[in-house]
């Protein structure tokens, strides 16, 4: 076993990172890991951090010197604690928030400057380096330009274009690809004990998004929601159905965002109250109200973002269905994404032309862009579902 086991379908990236962790001549102190959502950026970043800290099992002996890297054995204390996120010299900024603030980055820089306590390096992983305002990025820039020799910055973003050119040019880039569905399925079987055929169907349906594939394989509700989304394509016969379907898609996304947020919001609020020294049920002193308001605003923004993410995901699912329709219409020799919806795909393919399919895919693409541009979700989706209805 090794720390790279869960980094699926990325042999090239793993080779570069593994070499850097073991060969000082190949080491760089600022990295930019890029790859589409679900390609495993944060998994790769943690694995790299573990490989950097790895001492090998012999390093666990009391008083053992900080020797050369064990290469990410996956068994030593340094490896296991880094992967678990509890290694004292690892800092991970995982953004549930919409933006990483300038204060957070200043704190990170202070942390980065400290000598590692037990590890070989102080590793700072920023999972969404693209969620920073330009001013914040400039503060970070100074830190990664001349990092202390014991510090390693690992920034992650969907693509190199998502970070400022100044950051890009000072980092060594590693690009993750979309892993093959077979590799994702293997991981689900090996790590999560999923049945092989369920794993493969889920990996295909999730278009190799590892986290999503896992959820589809293990959560029947997630599968039902996805099926309901795809069913929209079949159900829309006229404008009335289209408007209804758009409303349903928005409602489902809202419900999912609320369900995902409820527990976490309550925990955060309780923590804040404890931190402020306010007892459960007490009236909030006026001087503390702004801090609670700040938390509530952050939570609201996060819910809105989550809802948009869920909607975008639904549209990617719909897009995959029409992609399959086009595959059938053109007689292309490639696998369907939605093997379990093959019958619906064939019906849609028989009832329309490739031109119509392309136009529908364009409508979905437009709706995604409009959502990204903060158009009201219902408006963007109605325009889309109306364009999906059968033409004459
Ligand atoms: Zn190790």
């Amino acid at each position: 076993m090794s720390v790279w086991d869960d980094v699926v379908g990325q042999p090239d990236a793993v080779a570069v990172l593994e070499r850097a962790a073991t060969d000082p001549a190949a080491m760089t102190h600022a990295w930019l890991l890029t790859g589409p959502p679900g390609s495993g950026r944060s998994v790769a970043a943690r694995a790299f951090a573990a490989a950097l800290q790895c001492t090998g099992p012999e390093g666990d002996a009391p008083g053992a010197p900080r020797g050369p890297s064990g290469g990410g054995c996956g068994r030593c204390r340094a490896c296991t604690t880094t992967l678990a996120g509890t290694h004292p010299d690892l800092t991970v900024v995982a953004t549930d928030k919409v933006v990483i603030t300038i204060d957070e980055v200043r704190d990170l820089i202070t942390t980065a400057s400290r000598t590692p306590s037990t590890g070989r390096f102080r590793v700072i992983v920023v999972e969404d380096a693209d969620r920073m305002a330009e001013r914040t990025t400039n503060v970070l820039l100074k830190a990664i330009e001349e990092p202390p020799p014991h510090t390693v910055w690992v920034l992650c973003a969907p693509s190199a274009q998502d970070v400022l050119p100044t950051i890009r040019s000072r980092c060594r880039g590693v690009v993750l690809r979309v892993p093959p569905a077979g590799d994702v399925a293997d991981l689900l079987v090996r790590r999560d004990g999923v049945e092989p055929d369920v794993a493969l169907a889920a990996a295909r349906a999730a278009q190799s998004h590892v986290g999503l594939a896992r959820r589809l394989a293990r959560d029947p509700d997630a599968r039902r929601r996805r099926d309901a989304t795809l069913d929209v394509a079949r159900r829309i016969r006229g404008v009335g159905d289209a408007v209804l379907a758009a409303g349903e898609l928005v409602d489902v996304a809202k419900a999912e965002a609320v369900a995902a947020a409820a527990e976490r919001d309550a925990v955060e609020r309780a923590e804040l109250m404890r931190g402020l020294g306010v007892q459960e049920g007490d009236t909030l002193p006026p001087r503390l109200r702004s801090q609670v308001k700040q938390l509530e605003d952050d939570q609201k923004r996060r819910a809105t973002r989550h809802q948009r993410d869920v909607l975008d995901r639904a549209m990617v699912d719909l897009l995959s269905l029409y992609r399959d329709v086009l595959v059938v219409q053109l007689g292309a020799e490639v696998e369907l994404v939605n093997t379990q919806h093959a019958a619906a795909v064939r019906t849609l393919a028989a009832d329309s032309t490739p031109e119509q399919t392309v136009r529908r895919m364009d409508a979905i693409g437009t709706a995604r862009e409009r959502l990204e541009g903060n158009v009201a979700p219902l408006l963007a989706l109605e325009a889309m579902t109306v364009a999906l209805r059968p033409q004459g």
Side-chain angles (χ1 to χ4, degrees):
M1 97 180 260
S2 92
V3 293
W4 306 106
D5 285 355
D6 287 355
V7 186
V8 283
Q10 313 291 348
D12 297 346
V14 167
V16 171
L17 296 173
E18 200 171 16
R19 174 135 186 268
T22 46
D23 178 2
M27 187 54 191
T28 309
H29 290 267
W31 295 80
L32 178 61
L33 302 192
T34 56
S39 57
R41 292 184 304 252
S42 54
V43 175
R46 269 172 204 255
F48 181 41
L52 287 169
Q53 304 291 22
C54 179
T55 59
E58 58 278 12
D60 284 343
R66 290 184 202 183
S69 172
C73 68
R75 294 184 310 272
C76 72
R77 205 177 145 67
C79 277
T80 52
T81 52
T82 306
L83 290 179
T86 55
H87 192 290
D89 299 317
L90 168 73
T91 306
V92 179
V93 185
T95 33
D96 287 333
K97 292 189 213 161
V98 179
V99 288
I100 302 173
T101 65
I102 203 159
D103 289 339
E104 283 170 297
V105 168
R106 287 203 177 105
D107 287 347
L108 281 181
I109 293 169
T110 310
T111 308
S113 66
R114 289 198 203 111
T115 320
S117 60
T118 61
R120 301 166 64 227
F121 294 99
R122 194 165 271 289
V123 184
I124 315 276
V125 175
V126 182
E127 285 189 351
D128 298 283
D130 52 316
R131 294 190 192 168
M132 260 182 241
E134 188 163 346
R135 197 161 68 96
T136 313
T137 310
N138 286 331
V139 172
L140 178 65
L141 189 60
K142 292 206 183 66
I144 62 170
E145 253 171 345
E146 292 163 22
H150 55 74
T151 302
V152 182
W153 288 90
V154 185
L155 310 180
C156 306
S159 77
Q161 285 67 45
D162 290 314
V163 299
L164 289 180
T166 42
I167 291 272
R168 220 184 300 156
S169 65
R170 281 162 185 82
C171 292
R172 180 146 170 222
V174 172
V175 181
L176 303 180
R177 57 175 186 156
V178 174
D183 288 9
V184 174
D186 286 347
L187 177 74
L188 297 182
V189 172
R190 176 162 49 80
R191 190 187 61 187
D192 303 312
V194 175
E195 290 293 322
D197 47 338
V198 175
L200 188 59
R204 284 217 188 98
Q207 295 175 68
S208 289
H209 186 301
V210 178
L212 205 62
R214 181 166 186 267
R215 194 159 5 120
L216 283 176
R218 294 168 38 123
D219 178 0
D221 282 341
R223 280 202 293 274
R224 262 195 296 277
R225 273 196 301 270
R226 186 173 190 279
D227 289 344
T229 301
L230 296 188
D231 202 38
V232 162
R234 192 184 53 79
R235 275 184 7 229
I236 300 174
R237 310 306 307 174
V239 174
D241 304 330
V243 171
L244 273 180
E248 278 172 33
L249 285 172
V250 172
D251 287 345
V252 168
K254 213 177 264 173
E256 194 172 327
V258 167
E263 196 180 337
R264 191 164 51 178
D265 285 359
V267 171
E268 283 174 351
R269 192 184 165 91
E271 271 172 12
L272 176 66
M273 292 306 189
R274 236 191 337 270
L276 296 174
V278 181
Q279 298 288 329
E280 192 74 44
D282 281 5
T283 323
L284 203 59
R287 67 194 158 79
L288 298 180
R289 270 179 209 153
S290 72
Q291 297 189 50
V292 177
K293 171 93 171 39
Q294 177 68 51
L295 177 70
E296 285 168 355
D297 288 350
D298 283 352
Q299 291 179 335
K300 212 157 140 198
R301 264 199 299 276
R302 184 170 66 196
T304 305
R305 185 190 172 94
H306 189 84
Q307 190 194 336
R308 279 174 200 275
D309 287 349
V310 172
L311 275 178
D312 191 58
R313 192 65 231 173
M315 284 188 273
V316 170
D317 287 338
L318 265 181
L319 208 48
S320 76
L321 188 80
Y322 287 107
R323 173 260 185 212
D324 285 349
V325 170
L326 199 58
V327 164
V328 171
Q329 286 175 326
L330 301 179
E333 294 287 319
V334 289
E335 290 266 14
L336 295 188
V337 170
N338 301 286
T339 40
Q340 281 149 330
H341 295 264
V345 166
R346 266 184 229 109
T347 309
L348 282 165
D351 290 350
S352 60
T353 64
E355 288 76 15
Q356 285 170 328
T357 307
V358 170
R359 232 173 280 138
R360 287 171 174 158
M361 293 173 82
D362 281 348
I364 299 170
T366 304
R368 292 183 69 196
E369 279 167 24
R370 297 179 75 197
L371 267 188
E372 185 66 39
N374 277 335
V375 170
L378 192 57
L379 275 182
L381 261 70
E382 277 177 4
M384 177 190 84
T385 50
V386 167
L388 294 182
R389 73 191 201 282
Q391 308 291 314

